[in-house]
Amino acid sequence: MVDKFTQTAIILLVVITALFCIGAYIGYIGGAGMEGTDGVVEEHAAEIGGREATELIPTIGVYGDMGEYVGFTLAGVVSGLIVGYLWTGIFWRREDA
Amino acid sequence: MHISDGILTDQWCIIWYAVAIAFAAVGVWQIKKRAADNLSYMPMLALMGSAVFIISVWHIPVPVTGSCSHPIGTPMSSIIVGPFATVILTMISLFFQAFLAHGGITTIGANTISMGIVGGFSGYLVYTGSRRANAPIWLAAGLAGFIGDVLCYVTTALELALSLNPTAVMSHWTLYAMGYIPTQLPLAIVEFIFTAAIVNYITTVRPDLLSKIKSTKGGVSNGR
């Protein structure tokens, strides 16, 4: 039997993933490009100011969309493991707290 | 709010770096002091560092605007581990995010100002101010998340305007801020929800941790 913490975590995981998928799907059928706002505003500002973004260091993004996808997935998995591992140790309910 | 390399002028990159390093120096001192007093502080910092890293690259689609952006996580972090320590966590997160094509190396200072300093400190001040006004913890934390998120992007717009349009800062600041806000407002609401939920959860299950860390004014005993 799963405990309450795990239940809550699984429900949250499903809800958040569903929200992402629904948001992406609505955007997709609405014909939106779902571009990142950071990039759009920055490019617009750079154009007005006569400057251009440069890459000073090699990034995972240089391998195209797939590289970025793999990079974000890896970063998410590693960070998620760290958060999950420490979370249960630190925030476990203690009766004497 | 991740400004890339090459966008800001060298002069502004240096200025933002200098300000960020001054805050980071206080952060290092504060971390050392708190870690010596409280054994839970270092794992808590590691946890918050990972949380800030992942939350601030967590691109969420906003179908209303047909674009996507991300929350920042620093208001939550500054409530839990303190605002100066959050500056350090932000700098480390931004360094690694630069390798994911988010932000840049020369703009770590500017991005730290918007996300770590303005986002973190405004969130912290809103939280402590709301608590003093007897707001419940979830509301105080949620407002901190919302306001910290919005101000972070307003600051990024200012950084762009100051560097790229020095002769017409106000009009361009407004223009760039208006570019961010339609996508960012729904995400600020997301930031409200998870900041409120997480801070409220911690104060419910482990109130001793926050009172030890002393980043919540008045601790938690009078917090609900």
Side-chain angles (χ1 to χ4, degrees):
Chain A
M1 190 66 189
V2 288
D3 57 80
K4 205 176 171 196
F5 180 86
T6 312
Q7 272 180 355
T8 312
I10 291 171
I11 291 167
L12 272 176
L13 182 76
V14 172
V15 169
I16 291 169
T17 309
L19 285 175
F20 277 16
C21 293
I22 292 166
Y25 181 69
I26 293 172
Y28 174 73
I29 58 170
M34 288 294 170
E35 282 186 88
T37 316
D38 285 8
V40 173
V41 175
E42 185 186 279
E43 273 173 32
H44 180 61
E47 204 177 298
I48 294 173
R51 294 184 70 86
E52 199 179 345
T54 53
E55 277 192 358
L56 295 181
I57 50 167
T59 63
I60 288 175
V62 298
Y63 302 111
D65 289 345
M66 184 53 78
E68 204 161 287
Y69 174 76
V70 172
F72 278 115
T73 305
L74 283 176
V77 168
V78 173
S79 303
L81 278 173
I82 295 170
V83 171
Y85 180 77
L86 292 171
W87 186 275
T88 50
I90 297 173
F91 296 121
W92 201 248
R93 185 188 292 273
R94 288 183 189 167
E95 296 308 321
D96 59 342
Chain B
M1 39 59 60
H2 290 88
I3 301 175
S4 306
D5 285 321
I7 300 290
L8 302 181
T9 58
D10 296 346
Q11 178 201 351
W12 279 105
C13 285
I14 292 166
I15 290 171
W16 296 131
Y17 251 111
V19 177
I21 286 170
F23 276 82
V26 181
V28 170
W29 173 78
Q30 200 177 59
I31 287 171
K32 276 187 182 171
K33 190 169 172 286
R34 287 185 175 177
D37 293 344
N38 178 7
L39 288 175
S40 305
Y41 192 67
M42 287 312 271
M44 183 90 87
L45 265 187
L47 188 149
M48 280 302 132
S50 288
V52 167
F53 174 84
I54 197 163
I55 288 169
S56 56
V57 286
W58 182 28
H59 266 214
I60 300 175
V62 180
V64 184
T65 57
S67 53
C68 63
S69 190
H70 57 82
I72 56 173
T74 47
M76 174 191 73
S77 172
S78 57
I79 293 169
I80 296 171
V81 295
F84 284 103
T86 297
V87 175
I88 301 285
L89 300 182
T90 306
M91 287 184 106
I92 295 169
S93 297
L94 288 168
F95 174 76
F96 287 110
Q97 285 169 1
F99 292 92
L100 291 171
H102 270 237
I105 294 294
T106 58
T107 51
I108 286 177
N111 293 334
T112 300
I113 299 285
S114 55
M115 190 168 109
I117 298 175
V118 174
F121 275 82
S122 64
Y124 183 77
L125 292 173
V126 168
Y127 179 79
T128 51
S130 304
R131 295 293 299 128
R132 284 204 182 102
N134 290 324
I137 284 176
W138 68 268
L139 181 62
L143 284 175
F146 184 90
I147 292 170
D149 186 300
V150 172
L151 288 183
C152 166
Y153 277 83
V154 170
T155 307
T156 305
L158 177 64
E159 287 169 347
L160 288 170
L162 282 171
S163 180
L164 300 173
N165 315 98
T167 53
V169 172
M170 281 308 288
S171 60
H172 285 88
W173 181 16
T174 312
L175 176 72
Y176 301 147
M178 287 298 114
Y180 284 127
I181 293 304
T183 304
Q184 208 54 39
L185 270 183
L187 295 178
I189 295 169
V190 172
E191 186 113 31
F192 179 107
I193 294 168
F194 77 71
T195 307
I198 290 173
V199 174
N200 202 52
Y201 176 82
I202 294 171
T203 53
T204 306
V205 300
R206 291 295 307 276
D208 56 313
L209 281 179
L210 288 189
S211 57
K212 269 183 199 165
I213 287 165
K214 290 177 185 168
S215 66
T216 48
K217 213 67 177 170
V220 178
S221 53
N222 61 353
R224 291 169 67 82

